[in-house]
Amino acid sequence: MKAFTFVRPRTVDAAVAALAETGGAVHAGGVDLLDRMKEHVDEPSHLVTLLDVPGRDAIALEDDGGVHLGAGVTLAALAENDVVRRFLPSLAEAAGQAASPAIRHRATLGGNLAQRTRCGYFRIASFSCLKRGADACPVRAETGVQETAAVFANEPCASAHPSSLAPVLQSLGAQLGVQGPKGARSVSLAEAWRAPEKGVAGDLALAADELITAIVVPPRTRPQRVGYEEVRQKAAFDWALVSCGVRVELDDDGRVSDASIVLGSVAPTPWVATAAEAALRGKAFGAEPIAAAAKAATQGATPLSGNTYKVRLVEVAVRRALTRALEGAKGGAR
Amino acid sequence: MTRQEPPFEPAPPRATPADHATRVSRRGLFKGAGAAAVSAALLGARETLAREAAVADEVRTQGPGLVPITLRVNGEERKVQVEPRTTLLSALRLRLDLTGAKPVCERSQCGACTVWLDGQTVYACSVLAVEAEGREVTTVEGLGTPSDMHPVQAAFCAEDALQCGFCTPGMVMACAFAVKQHGKDLTEDQARAAVAGNLCRCGTHPHVLRAALRAAKGE
């Protein structure tokens, strides 16, 4: 790893100022960042650490029933915290399945959302990669290793988005709290992503001197069910091949008044299965509409020759996540 | 940035229960920050400078060269000089001669370097040594000694829970954490989950699980 200066602000304002001044990289748990630095994929001259900024690990139930999650909350805390388990059960479940206990003790919610793709071409400096400035994505080439690559929106870059928490939070309508030199802003997580561009490593549409400060999940306004499912190659300590967070709003007759179905690891950013959502709306929530929605979730897939199997996994993950929701997890306060 | 010479700044204050109590009001600050930005735009240059000076007080920097730090490892204060890029794993092994934690993948993927930071398992390869200052580091050497073994260490011997031994220090730290967490109620599923992030290429897992359960039950 290249030598760097460790900048330790004690406040968010000071952190933002330090980022603007040094052009450094944001450091919190360091799980993903240090990996990239060891591989010389990233070589920042400064790390601006958030470890000395107090209060970033707050979890609070708001008066209106929304849930405020500090960006520094660890995945272990998300998995174990009573407020999260009770009101955001699909999030607690996704966090508890991520990585390993030792990583969950360190990895933060903000870092989970800001982490870079696990695409091997991106993470090994000697390979060329569109996100790191090359003209073309080697995954898409005839010789590309494509097993874990994206099956939706996979041109010009076929990297898969790694976060399993992002689809869940997006399905819950989460807002990202961001702070930069011009102050704080709030952006819908659904609108926080940007499509891959040549030379742009990150998937979040944030400026280099902006920080994620919090994630706020709004209160539910109607009865709802939530679910989460991920499919992995190994039973534990593995990245999801496909992950899926769902939220289904029901009217008084048990019909679906609204549905949110978001997939992870299938596109360069979290992927909204709009056709699946449409297939559920207005239907009595049950096995048949779930099967139809799961089938519809594969619409628009453009798998590569090496990952057609992932399209089938999309159907499986959506069906299981919706079935979990049907079976019970209500989620949300009030 | 200039190298810091001792006496150096104390570690920043750790979160206390009082901090938790004030968190709701901190959130209030977050919500008000947008308005603060608007008023900042109205401030004159002098105020802006004063504000920048205040911000400067809120930052300290370390490195990129050697930084003297004091690590608290296995209950002892140990002074070392490290660069910010030095991982806790390197500091333990190369500066403090505590070679229990093993460097294998050094990418948070194998668990051979598992230690405790403030009593929780972490991979020492993905923690910077400078971050560990002011925190409690426990390695397999601090858990017990050959003549006075921790129950998990003794159970590993009794259950023959190692083959080549390279994953063992990490396995022991992960199991000891699970025993600390769950006590005598530790289930096999919990033990399995506890060592999910510790890879053993020899395939000793069944013995490891037996050892964890034996230690938990105090046999």
Side-chain angles (χ1 to χ4, degrees):
Chain A
M1 187 169 9
K2 201 177 137 193
F4 57 84
T5 303
F6 202 48
V7 184
R8 310 184 66 149
R10 294 189 181 89
T11 64
V12 170
D13 280 344
V16 167
L19 283 173
E21 192 185 324
T22 66
V26 181
H27 171 268
V31 179
D32 187 46
L33 176 63
L34 296 189
D35 270 13
R36 285 184 271 123
M37 290 171 65
K38 287 171 185 175
E39 294 292 348
H40 301 277
V41 168
D42 267 352
E43 297 192 309
S45 63
H46 293 73
L47 291 199
V48 177
T49 188
L50 304 178
L51 292 173
D52 298 346
V53 179
R56 295 183 67 259
D57 57 351
I59 296 176
L61 186 60
E62 311 265 7
D63 291 341
D64 65 359
V67 181
H68 169 105
L69 306 165
V73 171
T74 63
L75 301 196
L78 286 177
E80 290 158 16
N81 180 273
D82 288 338
V83 168
V84 181
R85 287 169 68 102
R86 179 165 171 209
F87 299 115
L88 309 175
S90 52
L91 181 65
E93 194 166 331
Q97 290 185 40
S100 72
I103 288 178
R104 294 196 293 271
H105 287 148
R106 290 280 297 172
T108 63
L109 176 55
N112 182 278
L113 298 177
Q115 67 180 313
R116 304 285 189 256
T117 178
R118 302 305 303 178
C119 176
Y121 295 94
F122 173 79
R123 299 187 82 93
I124 297 175
S126 55
F127 287 126
S128 71
C129 164
L130 183 99
K131 278 176 163 296
R132 290 192 284 102
D135 288 330
C137 170
V139 181
R140 298 187 55 83
E142 194 74 14
T143 52
V145 176
Q146 301 172 335
E147 277 74 9
T148 59
V151 291
F152 293 103
N154 50 8
E155 200 179 0
C157 160
S159 67
H161 195 265
S163 170
S164 58
L165 303 191
V168 178
L169 286 165
Q170 197 168 317
S171 75
L172 300 174
Q175 296 275 321
L176 206 57
V178 176
Q179 190 150 347
K182 291 175 189 156
R185 66 184 174 106
S186 180
V187 55
S188 160
L189 190 57
E191 284 155 21
W193 310 106
R194 69 177 148 212
E197 284 173 51
K198 179 177 170 177
V200 178
D203 308 311
L204 279 170
L206 301 184
D209 53 2
E210 283 188 313
L211 278 178
I212 303 173
T213 51
I215 288 83
V216 179
V217 180
R220 69 188 171 100
T221 49
R222 292 187 210 166
Q224 66 173 26
R225 304 288 183 83
V226 298
Y228 176 73
E229 183 70 31
E230 71 176 59
V231 183
R232 293 181 296 258
Q233 207 161 29
K234 290 194 293 167
F237 198 20
D238 200 3
W239 296 94
L241 292 166
V242 177
S243 64
C244 180
V246 300
R247 182 181 61 87
V248 179
E249 276 187 9
L250 302 174
D251 64 18
D252 295 341
D253 304 326
R255 288 185 181 275
V256 177
S257 51
D258 194 19
S260 178
I261 302 174
V262 188
L263 292 149
S265 304
V266 298
T269 60
W271 180 255
V272 182
T274 46
E277 294 173 349
L280 274 185
R281 278 194 202 101
K283 304 282 190 330
F285 194 33
E288 272 182 41
I290 286 176
K295 190 83 193 161
T298 64
Q299 278 180 28
T302 53
L304 306 168
S305 61
N307 67 1
T308 50
Y309 79 100
K310 279 186 78 166
V311 179
R312 172 74 181 136
L313 293 190
V314 165
E315 187 178 342
V316 170
V318 171
R319 177 168 45 78
R320 288 182 185 168
L322 286 170
T323 304
R324 297 287 303 281
L326 177 66
E327 284 166 357
K330 292 195 170 60
R334 300 171 93 178
Chain B
M1 300 290 169
T2 54
R3 174 178 152 184
Q4 284 180 311
E5 296 294 340
F8 43 90
E9 285 181 273
R14 305 281 307 144
T16 62
D19 287 335
H20 287 265
T22 59
R23 270 172 196 166
V24 173
S25 61
R26 287 184 200 286
R27 285 171 39 230
L29 282 177
F30 163 68
K31 282 180 176 165
V38 174
S39 58
L42 303 174
L43 290 176
R46 191 185 303 165
E47 285 81 356
T48 305
L49 284 174
R51 195 180 140 101
E52 281 174 6
V55 165
D57 281 345
E58 294 167 350
V59 183
R60 67 178 178 134
T61 61
Q62 293 176 309
L66 288 172
V67 183
I69 60 169
T70 303
L71 292 178
R72 188 166 172 81
V73 185
N74 301 330
E76 276 179 44
E77 303 274 329
R78 305 282 299 267
K79 289 190 189 309
V80 283
Q81 301 244 349
V82 294
E83 294 179 20
R85 65 173 159 175
T86 305
T87 62
L88 176 60
L89 178 62
S90 292
L92 290 171
R93 291 181 55 85
L94 306 177
R95 306 295 167 87
L96 300 177
D97 202 30
L98 290 166
T99 55
K102 297 287 181 278
V104 179
C105 75
E106 297 204 60
R107 299 291 185 279
S108 300
Q109 287 171 12
C110 75
C113 65
T114 306
V115 299
W116 292 355
L117 190 61
D118 285 344
Q120 291 197 312
T121 51
V122 298
Y123 297 147
C125 73
S126 68
V127 178
L128 299 171
V130 288
E131 292 177 51
E133 193 169 28
R135 310 181 70 173
E136 194 75 39
V137 181
T138 309
T139 71
V140 71
E141 291 94 337
L143 216 52
T145 63
S147 58
D148 181 22
M149 282 191 279
H150 182 278
V152 168
Q153 291 168 320
F156 265 62
C157 296
E159 294 288 352
D160 194 18
L162 62 154
Q163 291 184 57
C164 86
F166 229 75
C167 73
T168 310
M171 285 282 190
V172 167
M173 296 310 288
C175 288
F177 179 72
V179 170
K180 186 163 68 113
Q181 218 178 4
H182 301 288
K184 62 176 169 38
D185 298 328
L186 180 73
T187 65
E188 183 174 330
D189 280 350
Q190 287 166 341
R192 207 178 278 276
V195 297
N198 297 78
L199 305 191
C200 168
R201 284 298 188 197
C202 305
T204 321
H205 295 93
H207 293 231
V208 168
L209 298 181
R210 284 214 297 271
L213 294 172
R214 174 192 275 259
K217 290 185 177 66
E219 287 166 3

